[in-house]
mmCIF file of all heavy atoms in Angstrom:
data_model
loop_
_atom_site.group_PDB
_atom_site.id
_atom_site.type_symbol
_atom_site.label_atom_id
_atom_site.label_comp_id
_atom_site.label_asym_id
_atom_site.label_seq_id
_atom_site.Cartn_x
_atom_site.Cartn_y
_atom_site.Cartn_z
ATOM 1 N N LEU A 127 22.654 -25.352 246.359
ATOM 2 C CA LEU A 127 22.732 -24.279 245.362
ATOM 3 C C LEU A 127 21.840 -24.573 244.163
ATOM 4 O O LEU A 127 21.127 -23.697 243.668
ATOM 5 C CB LEU A 127 24.186 -24.093 244.911
ATOM 6 C CG LEU A 127 25.103 -23.330 245.855
ATOM 7 C CD1 LEU A 127 26.546 -23.397 245.365
ATOM 8 C CD2 LEU A 127 24.654 -21.876 245.965
ATOM 9 N N LEU A 147 29.063 -27.340 239.842
ATOM 10 C CA LEU A 147 29.147 -26.665 241.139
ATOM 11 C C LEU A 147 29.806 -27.538 242.198
ATOM 12 O O LEU A 147 30.386 -27.016 243.157
ATOM 13 C CB LEU A 147 27.746 -26.259 241.603
ATOM 14 C CG LEU A 147 27.074 -25.154 240.782
ATOM 15 C CD1 LEU A 147 25.637 -24.945 241.241
ATOM 16 C CD2 LEU A 147 27.859 -23.850 240.885
ATOM 17 N N VAL A 218 73.555 -38.688 232.914
ATOM 18 C CA VAL A 218 72.449 -39.624 233.140
ATOM 19 C C VAL A 218 72.191 -40.385 231.840
ATOM 20 O O VAL A 218 72.053 -39.767 230.777
ATOM 21 C CB VAL A 218 71.175 -38.876 233.580
ATOM 22 C CG1 VAL A 218 70.003 -39.841 233.758
ATOM 23 C CG2 VAL A 218 71.429 -38.106 234.876
ATOM 24 N N SER A 229 57.478 -40.228 233.210
ATOM 25 C CA SER A 229 56.785 -40.352 234.496
ATOM 26 C C SER A 229 56.391 -39.011 235.093
ATOM 27 O O SER A 229 55.288 -38.869 235.638
ATOM 28 C CB SER A 229 57.683 -41.109 235.486
ATOM 29 O OG SER A 229 57.125 -41.121 236.770
ATOM 30 N N LEU A 238 47.360 -38.355 240.598
ATOM 31 C CA LEU A 238 47.026 -39.402 241.565
ATOM 32 C C LEU A 238 46.023 -38.910 242.600
ATOM 33 O O LEU A 238 45.094 -39.634 242.981
ATOM 34 C CB LEU A 238 48.306 -39.894 242.253
ATOM 35 C CG LEU A 238 49.302 -40.626 241.348
ATOM 36 C CD1 LEU A 238 50.570 -40.954 242.104
ATOM 37 C CD2 LEU A 238 48.676 -41.900 240.787
ATOM 38 N N GLY A 257 51.177 -46.272 234.872
ATOM 39 C CA GLY A 257 52.046 -45.180 234.450
ATOM 40 C C GLY A 257 53.510 -45.475 234.700
ATOM 41 O O GLY A 257 54.373 -45.226 233.846
ATOM 42 N N ILE A 320 41.395 -26.439 234.365
ATOM 43 C CA ILE A 320 40.476 -27.145 235.257
ATOM 44 C C ILE A 320 39.038 -26.729 234.972
ATOM 45 O O ILE A 320 38.145 -27.574 234.813
ATOM 46 C CB ILE A 320 40.830 -26.866 236.730
ATOM 47 C CG1 ILE A 320 42.189 -27.472 237.072
ATOM 48 C CG2 ILE A 320 39.758 -27.419 237.663
ATOM 49 C CD1 ILE A 320 42.679 -27.124 238.453
ATOM 50 N N ALA A 347 34.275 -52.219 220.664
ATOM 51 C CA ALA A 347 34.915 -51.626 219.487
ATOM 52 C C ALA A 347 36.434 -51.767 219.616
ATOM 53 O O ALA A 347 37.058 -51.081 220.420
ATOM 54 C CB ALA A 347 34.515 -50.156 219.364
ATOM 55 N N VAL A 351 40.537 -48.025 221.457
ATOM 56 C CA VAL A 351 41.772 -47.629 222.161
ATOM 57 C C VAL A 351 42.699 -46.828 221.240
ATOM 58 O O VAL A 351 43.149 -45.741 221.618
ATOM 59 C CB VAL A 351 42.484 -48.865 222.746
ATOM 60 C CG1 VAL A 351 43.827 -48.458 223.368
ATOM 61 C CG2 VAL A 351 41.602 -49.524 223.801
ATOM 62 N N LEU A 353 41.845 -45.090 218.683
ATOM 63 C CA LEU A 353 41.169 -43.819 218.439
ATOM 64 C C LEU A 353 41.327 -42.883 219.628
ATOM 65 O O LEU A 353 41.568 -41.679 219.466
ATOM 66 C CB LEU A 353 39.682 -44.063 218.159
ATOM 67 C CG LEU A 353 38.822 -42.801 217.970
ATOM 68 C CD1 LEU A 353 39.288 -42.026 216.739
ATOM 69 C CD2 LEU A 353 37.345 -43.179 217.836
ATOM 70 N N VAL A 368 42.091 -32.894 232.414
ATOM 71 C CA VAL A 368 41.528 -34.030 231.696
ATOM 72 C C VAL A 368 40.748 -34.972 232.606
ATOM 73 O O VAL A 368 39.829 -35.665 232.150
ATOM 74 C CB VAL A 368 42.639 -34.806 230.947
ATOM 75 C CG1 VAL A 368 43.470 -35.653 231.899
ATOM 76 C CG2 VAL A 368 42.042 -35.679 229.846
ATOM 77 N N ILE A 371 36.966 -34.723 232.605
ATOM 78 C CA ILE A 371 36.430 -35.270 231.357
ATOM 79 C C ILE A 371 36.400 -36.793 231.436
ATOM 80 O O ILE A 371 35.429 -37.437 231.013
ATOM 81 C CB ILE A 371 37.271 -34.801 230.160
ATOM 82 C CG1 ILE A 371 37.299 -33.264 230.092
ATOM 83 C CG2 ILE A 371 36.737 -35.382 228.861
ATOM 84 C CD1 ILE A 371 38.249 -32.717 229.047
ATOM 85 N N LEU A 403 60.319 -31.042 222.647
ATOM 86 C CA LEU A 403 61.383 -32.041 222.631
ATOM 87 C C LEU A 403 62.081 -32.137 221.278
ATOM 88 O O LEU A 403 63.230 -32.576 221.203
ATOM 89 C CB LEU A 403 60.815 -33.414 223.009
ATOM 90 C CG LEU A 403 60.533 -33.642 224.493
ATOM 91 C CD1 LEU A 403 59.880 -34.994 224.714
ATOM 92 C CD2 LEU A 403 61.817 -33.543 225.316
ATOM 93 N N ALA A 413 60.651 -40.191 216.839
ATOM 94 C CA ALA A 413 59.694 -41.195 216.389
ATOM 95 C C ALA A 413 59.762 -42.445 217.265
ATOM 96 O O ALA A 413 58.732 -43.059 217.575
ATOM 97 C CB ALA A 413 59.959 -41.554 214.930
ATOM 98 N N VAL A 426 48.161 -50.977 227.611
ATOM 99 C CA VAL A 426 47.402 -50.698 228.833
ATOM 100 C C VAL A 426 45.905 -50.698 228.534
ATOM 101 O O VAL A 426 45.107 -51.333 229.232
ATOM 102 C CB VAL A 426 47.829 -49.345 229.434
ATOM 103 C CG1 VAL A 426 46.829 -48.878 230.487
ATOM 104 C CG2 VAL A 426 49.216 -49.458 230.058
ATOM 105 N N ALA A 432 40.189 -55.890 228.381
ATOM 106 C CA ALA A 432 39.982 -57.333 228.303
ATOM 107 C C ALA A 432 39.697 -57.963 229.668
ATOM 108 O O ALA A 432 38.919 -58.914 229.768
ATOM 109 C CB ALA A 432 41.210 -58.000 227.682
#
Side-chain angles (χ1 to χ4, degrees):
L127 282 172
L147 292 174
V218 178
S229 173
L238 294 175
I320 294 174
V351 175
L353 176 63
V368 76
I371 302 173
L403 283 176
V426 166

